[in-house]
Amino acid sequence: MGYDDLGHHLHQTGDLGNAVKAYGRMRDYCTTSSHVIIMNFRLISVSIDQGNWLAVQTNVQKLRSPGQQFAEAQRLAAKLSAAMGLALLASGDYKAAAQEFIETNPRMASARMDDPSDEEAYNEVVTPNDIAVYGGLCALASMDRTELQNRILDNAKFRAYLELEPHIRRAITFFVSSKYSSCLSILDSYRSDYLLDIYLHSHVHEIYFQIRSKAIQQYFIPFSCVAFTALAAAFDTDEQTIEREVTSMVKRGSLDARVDLVDRVLLAKRVDARKKVHEDALRIAREYERTAHLRILRMEMLNAGLEVAEKGKMGGTTGFDSVEGDQSRTSPSISSWFGEGAGRSLRSGLRG
């Protein structure tokens, strides 16, 4: 296909805009499902190089759509998961990105990186080692310890990738075991490497910040009061740094606690369980009283004949008296409110 060769040439020479146009023109000449898959994968690759992550998600969804379940696309599902994971990582949705990386077919982990003919390899975009790093870091930033244990460490599919990056697995294991300082120490030792990654470098600080914040939250849960010295020792830092961190977390609302700068301790907010039960009981009683009042009001309206029936029911009427044709449809029954005599008098006055 000529447009495929032209798009490949433009892509290799760095003319990404015209490469997208050339690949887009292939659409009119796609006669088989394999042609459609090739076109979409070409567009995904160019869109990744462009940083057009919305286009990446769109093309992945086209191949995943229920109405177009191609057998070849199922065989290349690992590449689709990797591309979608990169797009979600770029958008800052770390939990969804982790889910995509976790579900990446483990066949990519055994692909030969030095063999371009291996269909399982996706080395021009991402390697199996990258899948392990991206998936592990996104999971640490977005999942709690139970999820990390069940969906990462006990996941047979993702284990094939974690074996390629054992330090990520050790960091997750330490986090699950509440050994937060060891986990953070491992991650800090690889920070400089991650800052050089083309996809991860702009998210390293945010991901590390979320991991550290979540570690502080998990550490503080069983305590009602923790001294800054104990926090600093647990996270292998100094008191001034830990003070700034917990103060920032409290201001943002991510840590439900109070900071005592006089005694230099972090205090958990005390919840009066008795008061909360009383407030809940009063709220339920008010809701029940309002519901009962509305039901009684409806019953009284039905008894007084103030219900407006639908057109075509009640003998073809709408529940209103007729006053000058369609004008009567704007007001309820006059006779039902003021009596038959008042209704006749008012109608006579309107006709006059």
Side-chain angles (χ1 to χ4, degrees):
M1 296 174 63
Y3 282 120
D4 186 16
D5 295 336
L6 177 60
H8 181 72
H9 169 73
L10 294 171
H11 188 188
Q12 294 298 317
T13 57
D15 192 353
L16 302 180
N18 287 324
V20 171
K21 293 179 182 179
Y23 287 137
R25 294 191 185 101
M26 292 173 57
R27 197 182 311 275
D28 297 334
Y29 302 95
C30 292
T31 57
T32 63
S33 60
S34 61
H35 293 164
V36 176
I37 292 172
I38 291 172
M39 178 195 67
N40 280 281
F41 266 106
R42 297 285 193 269
L43 289 172
I44 289 171
S45 297
V46 179
S47 298
I48 289 175
D49 289 342
Q50 282 184 315
N52 188 355
W53 301 110
L54 181 59
V56 173
Q57 296 184 51
T58 301
N59 286 284
V60 170
Q61 292 298 343
K62 286 181 180 178
L63 294 177
R64 285 181 171 179
S65 60
Q68 298 182 357
Q69 289 293 337
F70 304 112
E72 294 88 345
Q74 295 299 319
R75 182 167 49 84
L76 302 174
K79 294 184 179 181
L80 294 178
S81 296
M84 180 61 82
L86 289 176
L88 294 170
L89 171 63
S91 64
D93 191 352
Y94 300 131
K95 188 160 190 177
Q99 183 64 31
E100 290 290 342
F101 290 127
I102 291 169
E103 293 179 353
T104 303
N105 195 298
R107 289 186 299 183
M108 184 185 290
S110 59
R112 295 186 296 274
M113 298 180 62
D114 56 348
D115 186 2
S117 63
D118 192 344
E119 293 185 351
E120 299 295 341
Y122 203 25
N123 301 327
E124 66 274 14
V125 175
V126 67
T127 65
N129 298 66
D130 295 331
I131 297 291
V133 172
Y134 301 160
L137 291 180
C138 290
L140 277 171
S142 59
M143 297 182 182
D144 57 29
R145 289 188 296 169
T146 303
E147 287 181 303
L148 288 172
Q149 180 67 48
N150 297 333
R151 302 178 65 181
I152 303 295
L153 298 180
D154 295 341
N155 190 335
K157 292 182 178 180
F158 197 63
R159 190 178 302 150
Y161 294 101
L162 287 178
E163 290 175 354
L164 302 174
E165 296 288 338
H167 68 279
I168 292 293
R169 182 168 185 172
R170 290 200 308 271
I172 296 174
T173 302
F174 283 138
F175 192 96
V176 172
S177 303
S178 300
K179 299 177 181 178
Y180 303 116
S181 60
S182 300
C183 171
L184 297 174
S185 176
I186 292 174
L187 296 179
D188 286 338
S189 64
Y190 286 87
R191 181 193 288 265
S192 58
D193 295 338
Y194 298 151
L195 288 173
L196 298 176
D197 190 281
I198 58 174
Y199 303 120
L200 190 62
H201 68 93
S202 60
H203 301 275
V204 170
H205 297 297
E206 180 63 24
I207 288 176
Y208 273 51
F209 176 77
Q210 291 192 19
I211 294 173
R212 189 174 181 86
S213 298
K214 193 171 64 170
I216 294 174
Q217 293 173 6
Q218 296 288 327
Y219 178 86
F220 183 64
I221 285 175
F223 300 103
S224 60
C225 176
V226 179
F228 287 165
T229 54
L231 275 173
F235 289 93
D236 194 20
T237 185
D238 56 272
E239 290 189 35
Q240 288 73 21
T241 301
I242 203 68
E243 178 186 334
R244 288 195 300 269
E245 289 182 1
V246 296
T247 302
S248 176
M249 292 174 63
V250 170
K251 288 181 178 179
R252 292 197 320 272
S254 58
L255 184 62
D256 191 15
R258 294 178 299 162
V259 178
D260 187 346
L261 296 178
V262 176
D263 297 330
R264 303 192 63 75
V265 294
L266 186 65
L267 302 171
K269 289 186 178 179
R270 297 181 180 179
V271 178
D272 190 343
R274 181 185 180 89
K275 179 181 178 181
K276 189 174 185 303
V277 170
H278 288 173
E279 291 177 349
D280 292 341
L282 289 173
R283 177 179 53 80
I284 294 172
R286 285 192 294 267
E287 292 178 356
Y288 179 81
E289 181 182 5
R290 180 177 180 275
T291 302
H293 176 75
L294 292 175
R295 289 178 178 177
I296 294 172
L297 179 62
R298 176 171 173 75
M299 292 172 59
E300 294 296 331
M301 292 177 67
L302 292 175
N303 292 335
L306 298 178
E307 183 184 19
V308 179
E310 295 180 7
K311 186 176 182 179
K313 297 182 180 181
M314 302 288 292
T317 66
T318 61
F320 296 96
D321 290 338
S322 87
V323 180
E324 290 295 318
D326 290 340
Q327 292 181 0
S328 64
R329 301 178 187 271
T330 61
S331 59
S333 173
I334 299 170
S335 300
S336 63
W337 286 0
F338 302 104
E340 187 64 29
R344 284 198 299 270
S345 300
L346 183 56
R347 284 193 291 268
S348 298
L350 289 173
R351 291 191 182 94

